[in-house]
């Protein structure tokens, strides 16, 4: 299990994005780009995505990296617009949740296929353990995104109600 220097940069560079994502999901219920953790997440994700290209051994790796880069840029781009546009907040939430999913699927796959060294838990991509974990990640995405969007809708509705009552009391 030898890893090249760029492989180490990729692995160690993208690894901090995982606890940052978990922290923001727990604290804010979503990836929060405007926060310090959100800015760090962007940097680590960008490093991880860009270093996939020189180490990718299969075309699917470059495809996943490109889709991840697109979701990251869309999410953070929408974040810049979200102050004035409600729709941008929804785009941001979906895109950045998808970026977490796209981070976790290869991370879990590579971890299970490499560890423990010499006798990994998973030997093939069709192993039931790997498929089960990937299925659980997909389920978390499918259930989590609508819950995030619902919370965002409620927050927007409460803010609109508050603004209307403030404007109406003048």
């Amino acid at each position: 299990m030898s890893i090249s220097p760029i492989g180490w940069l990729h692995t160690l560079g993208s690894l901090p994005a995982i606890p940052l994502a978990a922290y923001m999901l727990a604290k804010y219920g979503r990836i929060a780009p405007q926060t310090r953790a959100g800015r760090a997440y962007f940097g680590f994700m960008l490093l991880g995505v860009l270093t996939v290209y020189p180490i990718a051994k299969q075309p699917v790796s470059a495809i996943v990296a490109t889709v991840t880069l697109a979701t990251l840029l869309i999410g953070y781009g929408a974040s810049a617009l979200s102050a004035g546009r409600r729709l941008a907040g929804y785009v941001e939430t979906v895109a950045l949740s998808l970026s977490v999913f796209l981070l976790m699927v290869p991370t879990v796959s590579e971890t299970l296929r490499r560890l423990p060294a010499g006798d990994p838990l998973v030997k093939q991509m069709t192993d039931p353990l790997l498929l089960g974990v990937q299925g659980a990640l997909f389920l978390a995405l499918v259930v989590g995104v609508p819950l995030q969007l619902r919370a965002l809708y409620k927050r927007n509705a409460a803010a609109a109600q508050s603004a209307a009552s403030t404007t109406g009391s003048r």
Side-chain angles (χ1 to χ4, degrees):
M1 178 173 93
S2 70
I3 298 180
S4 68
I6 192 82
W8 279 111
L9 178 64
H10 167 73
T11 301
L12 298 176
S14 58
L15 204 55
I18 296 169
L20 286 166
Y23 166 76
M24 287 185 287
L25 289 169
K27 183 168 183 172
Y28 306 110
R30 62 188 187 83
I31 302 300
Q34 304 84 358
T35 65
R36 199 162 147 194
R39 290 186 295 278
Y41 175 80
F42 179 79
F44 289 119
M45 283 292 288
L46 194 59
L47 177 62
V49 165
L50 294 177
T51 54
V52 166
Y53 296 103
I55 63 172
K57 291 182 175 55
Q58 299 174 348
V60 71
S61 300
I63 293 167
V64 170
T66 302
V67 172
T68 304
L69 180 60
T71 62
L72 197 61
L73 294 176
I74 289 167
Y76 278 81
S79 171
L81 300 174
S82 66
R85 298 189 176 105
R86 277 194 199 156
L87 180 61
Y90 295 101
V91 170
E92 168 193 299
T93 299
V94 171
L96 295 179
S97 293
L98 188 54
S99 79
V100 174
F101 173 77
L102 292 170
L103 165 68
M104 292 309 300
V105 168
T107 299
V108 166
S109 298
E110 286 298 309
T111 300
L112 292 176
R113 290 177 50 229
R114 291 179 183 246
L115 297 175
D119 188 25
L121 293 170
V122 169
K123 310 251 187 303
Q124 299 176 0
M125 293 300 286
T126 57
D127 187 286
L129 174 62
L130 178 59
L131 295 176
V133 172
Q134 289 174 337
L137 289 171
F138 183 70
L139 182 63
L141 178 71
V142 169
V143 171
V145 168
L147 290 174
Q148 290 175 312
L149 295 177
R150 182 172 176 235
L152 183 58
Y153 175 80
K154 285 183 173 185
R155 188 174 56 222
N156 287 343
Q161 178 71 26
S162 177
S165 67
T166 303
T167 306
S169 66
R170 288 185 187 175

